[in-house]
């Protein structure tokens, strides 16, 4: 199982060592709001609205769950829907990402191509820069082996690529469930 952390370490002799930066993301669990309507990449309404703060947080994290449905960032529109920069929103990095222009798709909706989407598994799923590693790629990170997880288990060092994001080429974005 993806959330069982007891896989044996691989043989590492002869492998190239890489230096990576690690960041962390999570799914935003939001209640329906009335301030900002989610739009798809062609600016068509997805039929759900949320608060400005929830929009900005979801635009930064990449995924939001509202009313039992998940929506994932799928590109940028030409027009900003909300200002996610300081002082209106408490995210110093957000202004540079034009988060208010983010557009979403509903995961699992009829007619969408999300067969490439893997379910997120806390402390196992990573996102990478588009085009750097194929979705489904298994990674072993020796430095993570033995680290204690919030549930008390020790990590075995294995991760899998399940998502892409606006990341640097040497960056991995680790999914961590914000409810844990």
């Amino acid at each position: 199982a993806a959330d069982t952390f007891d896989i044996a370490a691989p043989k590492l002799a002869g492998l190239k060592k890489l230096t990576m930066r690690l960041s962390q993301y999570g799914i935003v669990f939001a209640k329906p709001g009335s301030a900002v309507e989610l739009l798809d990449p062609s600016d068509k309404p997805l039929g759900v609205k949320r608060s400005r703060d929830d929009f900005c947080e979801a635009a930064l994290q990449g995924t939001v769950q509202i009313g039992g449905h998940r929506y994932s960032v799928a590109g940028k529109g030409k027009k900003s829907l909300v200002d996610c920069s300081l002082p209106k929103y408490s995210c110093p990095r957000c202004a540079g990402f034009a988060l208010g222009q983010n557009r979403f798709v509903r995961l699992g909706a009829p007619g969408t191509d999300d067969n490439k989407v893997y379910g997120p598994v806390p402390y196992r799923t990573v996102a990478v820069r588009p085009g750097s590693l194929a979705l489904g790629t298994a990674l072993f990170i020796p430095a993570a082996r033995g680290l204690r997880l919030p549930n008390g288990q020790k990590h075995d060092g294995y991760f899998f690529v399940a998502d892409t994001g606006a990341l640097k080429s040497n960056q991995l974005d680790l999914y961590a469930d914000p409810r844990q």
Side-chain angles (χ1 to χ4, degrees):
D3 58 354
T4 302
F5 294 90
D6 60 2
I7 302 172
K11 301 212 183 305
L12 300 177
L15 295 179
K16 181 180 175 183
K17 182 178 180 179
L18 299 175
T19 301
M20 302 296 293
R21 292 181 40 215
L22 183 65
S23 54
Q24 180 177 307
Y25 76 102
I27 296 172
V28 176
F29 294 90
K31 294 180 181 174
S34 60
V36 184
E37 182 152 33
L38 291 186
L39 302 178
D40 73 8
S42 59
D43 283 344
K44 291 181 183 155
L46 291 170
V48 65
K49 294 181 181 182
R50 61 185 163 183
S51 73
R52 176 185 55 84
D53 285 349
D54 280 347
F55 181 94
C56 292
E57 183 65 26
L60 178 65
Q61 295 296 330
T63 305
V64 63
Q65 183 166 317
I66 305 171
H69 299 288
R70 284 193 181 164
Y71 301 85
S72 185
V73 171
K76 300 260 186 215
K78 291 180 183 174
K79 180 183 171 200
S80 183
L81 302 174
V82 64
D83 182 2
C84 296
S85 62
L86 291 171
K88 293 180 181 182
Y89 185 68
S90 61
C91 178
R93 303 179 308 147
C94 296
F97 293 126
L99 296 177
Q101 292 177 261
N102 278 4
R103 300 303 190 257
F104 292 78
V105 294
R106 181 175 156 199
L107 301 178
T112 61
D113 179 21
D114 60 344
N115 60 350
K116 64 182 177 11
V117 177
Y118 293 82
V121 178
Y123 308 104
R124 182 71 82 190
T125 300
V126 295
V128 297
R129 182 183 189 97
S132 62
L133 291 171
L135 296 177
T137 299
L139 302 172
F140 178 72
I141 302 174
R145 190 167 184 84
L147 293 178
R148 190 159 308 277
L149 300 169
N151 66 3
Q153 288 184 303
K154 288 187 177 181
H155 205 290
D156 57 14
Y158 286 94
F159 301 85
F160 71 96
V161 178
D163 200 359
T164 58
L167 306 169
K168 297 188 182 301
S169 60
N170 66 336
Q171 182 178 0
L172 296 175
D173 206 7
L174 174 67
Y175 171 68
D177 190 333
R179 298 171 294 177
Q180 291 184 350

